[in-house]
Amino acid sequence: MRRKAIVANWKMNMDSASIGEFCSKIQDMTIKDDVIAGICVPALYFTQVKTALDKSKIKIGAQNAYFEEKGAYTGEISAAMLKDAGAELCIVGHSERRQLFGDTDEIVSKKLKAVLSKEITPILCVGEVLAQREEGTHKDHVKKQIESAFSGIGKEDAKKIIVAYEPIWAIGTGKVASAEDAEEMCGFIRSILALKYGDIAESILIQYGGSVKLENISELMKMQNIDGALVGGASLEAQSFESLVMKA
Ligand code: PGA
């Protein structure tokens, strides 16, 4: 049985006061044994959250990492630095990074390997834009993203990766993919991974992301190939995050 991973992606939101309040509300929250709960925070606040949730089972992560170990890369943060700060998760290849900050498939693949090399669990995001879905090229696009990211990754590392299928047209739009469409794509991703890794694909966690909220999480989580959710907007409020984790 695969576990379910519910991970908050705060993006560029929150400040130290709201984070303090958020953490004090969720520090004692119950997390079922078959659920992984995580929060990917802006790097600047990583240590604040890590310290505040020190006794909790919630995993704290970052939203991005640079692939080089160290050096003259102004403004960047390496996977080694994240590890040093205690990161357990790191989002890689989020569509906002791909669309706004030039993260190509090649860069995503390097970042994925850098994060894995530091024993941080990567959350690899893939997903199509609306035009691709309408043209019917969404599967080809996602297949290419998956094949590129997993190229050169062996079975042992493949098992450690969490994949997040996030159709870009559903992110922050309030327009959630139907549970059936999300299931179809998560199943499709698993079938691509099965071609490369055989049975290992059955143990890889595949999340859905895109306008997940209390009203739709239960339906999504019932699906066979959906192993949790990456949540943006609905993760910014403590009560909402806690309820999403409870419903996983
Ligand atoms: P959303 O964001 O839940 O606000 O749609 C999800 C994501 O971008 O990971």
Side-chain angles (χ1 to χ4, degrees):
M1 249 313 251
R2 290 185 297 268
R3 295 166 85 195
K4 295 251 193 282
I6 304 295
V7 180
N9 173 11
W10 281 354
K11 309 191 179 184
M12 199 174 73
N13 292 298
M14 311 288 265
D15 58 19
S16 49
S18 54
I19 288 174
E21 215 177 293
F22 187 106
C23 292
S24 68
K25 286 186 186 153
I26 58 152
Q27 59 190 351
D28 298 321
M29 70 184 252
T30 330
I31 303 166
K32 290 179 278 181
D33 287 342
D34 57 351
V35 173
I36 298 165
I39 309 179
C40 292
V41 306
L44 185 63
Y45 299 116
F46 186 90
T47 305
Q48 182 189 353
V49 178
K50 185 82 191 159
T51 309
L53 298 179
D54 195 26
K55 296 196 174 58
S56 153
K57 282 201 296 180
I58 298 170
K59 295 185 189 297
I60 315 303
Q63 300 170 10
N64 182 37
Y66 195 53
F67 52 79
E68 294 290 356
E69 182 95 13
K70 62 176 177 166
Y73 304 103
T74 302
E76 291 296 326
I77 293 176
S78 69
M81 289 168 173
L82 293 175
K83 183 69 184 180
D84 186 37
E88 292 176 273
L89 301 168
C90 183
I91 297 174
V92 177
H94 189 279
S95 60
E96 285 149 20
R97 299 238 33 113
R98 292 180 190 257
Q99 291 192 315
L100 303 172
F101 303 102
D103 281 15
T104 59
D105 278 348
E106 193 191 341
I107 292 172
V108 169
S109 157
K110 287 185 182 173
K111 289 184 171 183
L112 186 64
K113 291 193 179 92
V115 168
L116 280 167
S117 76
K118 298 297 168 207
E119 315 243 311
I120 297 171
T121 301
I123 300 179
L124 167 72
C125 300
V126 295
E128 79 283 358
V129 296
L130 188 57
Q132 289 168 320
R133 173 144 297 252
E134 286 173 351
E135 282 162 10
T137 55
H138 53 295
K139 285 193 174 166
D140 293 341
H141 176 73
V142 168
K143 183 167 184 258
K144 189 170 153 276
Q145 288 182 318
I146 292 284
E147 287 176 346
S148 162
F150 278 85
S151 83
I153 291 190
K155 284 188 174 178
E156 283 314 305
D157 273 341
K159 277 196 260 186
K160 298 175 189 160
I161 298 172
I162 297 178
V163 178
Y165 167 63
E166 299 206 302
I168 295 169
W169 47 271
I171 296 178
T173 56
K175 223 189 211 180
V176 66
S178 70
E180 290 71 25
D181 284 348
E183 164 66 11
E184 189 196 2
M185 287 305 285
C186 292
F188 173 66
I189 291 169
R190 199 177 305 287
S191 71
I192 301 167
L193 295 172
L195 285 178
K196 185 167 167 108
Y197 300 109
D199 289 349
I200 301 267
E202 280 305 309
S203 62
I204 297 177
L205 298 188
I206 305 179
Q207 298 174 308
Y208 165 78
S211 297
V212 172
K213 45 185 181 280
L214 283 179
E215 295 74 37
N216 55 36
I217 191 160
S218 303
E219 206 192 335
L220 289 160
M221 292 309 108
K222 273 190 221 138
M223 296 290 155
Q224 203 191 329
N225 283 294
I226 304 181
D227 311 315
L230 185 58
V231 190
S235 74
L236 295 172
E237 206 264 306
Q239 180 60 51
S240 168
F241 174 69
E242 181 170 356
S243 307
L244 289 168
V245 172
M246 296 294 290
K247 283 181 172 238

